[in-house]
DNA sequence: ATTGTAAATGAAAATCATTTTCAATAATCA
DNA sequence: TGATTATTGAAAATGATTTTCATTTACAAT
């Protein structure tokens, strides 16, 4: 599994004209085996244990590259730091969106209603690209509110 | 029109236990007459011409208050600065979402397909709040891509 | 394998939107 | 009219991200 995604990533990098480097491999390995929504610093620290020679700057630069190739999604949950997760294309089974607790910052991945969502998106996309001649590449849907625990706590 | 929203804002502030101050009134006046998606600094500069005694810090604090009361929406288009616009509640006719051009940062407000969207949101909201016991307060839908001009330019 | 070259990297410094601090001021209410 | 708090402005601090620049590395061509 790890070998598989590593191979895929290597090809993906080459396809986009990027070199395959230890930092890039390490970050891809980490993200492809992690479910969490990690910040650049999270990633830096985890990798630092294994490869103390990879700097934070390189982590930022690598993430930029991985987002550019589409392998990684950059997420923004409103605390002022980007978060990253291995990308699941739309239409794929793992495509999901997020519930964000505004109290404790918990993030819930949900995959429910994705079919309905995709239907709406297609319709919207078609309408909007015609009306505004806008070419949609990407979308965000996010719900903000209170998670179960915080709802109880706050009352 | 201006008087009306000023009156409304005054009541809204009082309702939430906030004092009515010149800075707050000025910012509400500005936003309620502006269609643009203004940053804190934009707002500061515009107001600075009229009331040079209102500081940037106060602008930030005021915006925080106005967002908290629900009178203003805080928007994030991925350049690293918040943008603000006078709030239109969901279900209201002016409720809208945004197309964001990733090349030139142009923002297009769209109100199309909002009925379908609201339908999906209701369904999703109901399903998710049951499944995850998550109380949804707010949502974001945003499309990223290329506007007409940039699409032509880049090819 | 060796080498030339552009791309990638690390460390340190810079950036810059936003927050914090704190002393001074002003809005509200009795 | 005060008294009581919330609000404020200016300056400093914060902190995630970016830039700079000298050094190293990947890899294509030899
Ligand atoms: Mn996720
Ligand atoms: Mn708008
Ligand atoms: Zn929570
Ligand atoms: Zn554009």
């Amino acid at each position: 599994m790890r070998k598989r995604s590593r191979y895929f990533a290597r090809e993906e990098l080459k396809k986009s004209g990027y070199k395959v480097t230890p930092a890039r491999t390490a970050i891809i390995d980490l993200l492809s085996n992690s479910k969490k929504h990690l910040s650049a610093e999270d990633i830096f620290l985890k990798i630092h244990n294994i490869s103390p020679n990879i700097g934070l700057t390189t982590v930022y630069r690598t993430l930029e590259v991985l987002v550019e190739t589409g392998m990684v999604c950059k997420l923004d949950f409103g605390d002022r730091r980007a978060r990253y997760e291995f990308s699941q294309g739309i239409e794929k089974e793992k495509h999901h969106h997020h519930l964000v607790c505004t109290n404790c910052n918990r993030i819930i991945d949900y995959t429910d209603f994705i079919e309905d969502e995709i239907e709406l998106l297609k319709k919207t996309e078609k309408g909007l690209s015609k009306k505004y001649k806008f070419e949609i590449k990407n979308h965000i849907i996010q719900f903000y509110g209170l998670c179960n625990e915080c709802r109880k706590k706050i009352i």
Side-chain angles (χ1 to χ4, degrees), chain A:
Chain A
M1 197 98 292
R2 182 175 296 204
K3 273 216 202 103
R4 189 175 189 77
S5 70
R6 200 181 284 182
Y7 178 76
F8 172 75
R10 168 182 284 271
E11 294 311 305
E12 210 63 20
L13 284 172
K14 284 185 179 168
K15 201 193 295 174
S16 304
Y18 290 112
K19 291 180 177 173
V20 177
T21 66
R24 287 168 183 173
T25 307
I27 292 178
I28 288 162
D29 274 4
L30 175 65
L31 283 179
S32 66
N33 290 299
S34 173
K35 274 171 208 156
K36 308 238 200 72
H37 307 99
L38 302 170
S39 69
E41 201 188 0
D42 292 338
I43 293 166
F44 167 71
L45 290 174
K46 290 201 184 236
I47 285 187
H48 196 68
N49 295 330
I50 309 158
S51 314
N53 49 319
I54 294 176
L56 179 57
T57 311
T58 298
V59 171
Y60 274 105
R61 284 187 288 224
T62 301
L63 288 169
E64 200 181 1
V65 165
L66 297 181
V67 169
E68 214 252 326
T69 65
M71 279 187 278
V72 166
C73 283
K74 185 176 184 177
L75 307 170
D76 178 347
F77 298 136
D79 57 348
R80 6 204 45 263
R81 45 176 36 181
R83 313 233 159 221
Y84 299 86
E85 76 180 4
F86 212 63
S87 175
Q88 326 289 354
I90 191 175
E91 307 263 358
K92 291 281 181 52
E93 95 184 69
K94 296 240 210 78
H95 179 71
H96 67 275
H97 291 300
H98 300 100
L99 303 177
V100 183
C101 179
T102 49
N103 188 244
C104 71
N105 277 337
R106 190 189 315 260
I107 308 295
I108 300 172
D109 290 340
Y110 75 89
T111 52
D112 314 77
F113 308 104
I114 297 290
E115 310 74 32
D116 300 290
E117 182 205 303
I118 289 175
E119 207 178 309
L120 172 67
L121 287 182
K122 275 189 182 148
K123 188 174 174 181
T124 306
E125 192 160 340
K126 200 171 167 188
L128 294 181
S129 62
K130 182 179 282 181
K131 181 166 179 183
Y132 300 104
K133 308 254 190 306
F134 193 98
E135 184 183 343
I136 293 172
K137 300 269 194 197
N138 222 319
H139 69 273
I140 287 179
I141 296 185
Q142 241 161 64
F143 291 97
Y144 293 88
L146 294 175
C147 75
N148 193 23
E149 284 70 20
C150 291
R151 210 161 39 81
K152 286 184 206 155
K153 238 175 281 170
I154 294 183
I155 302 182

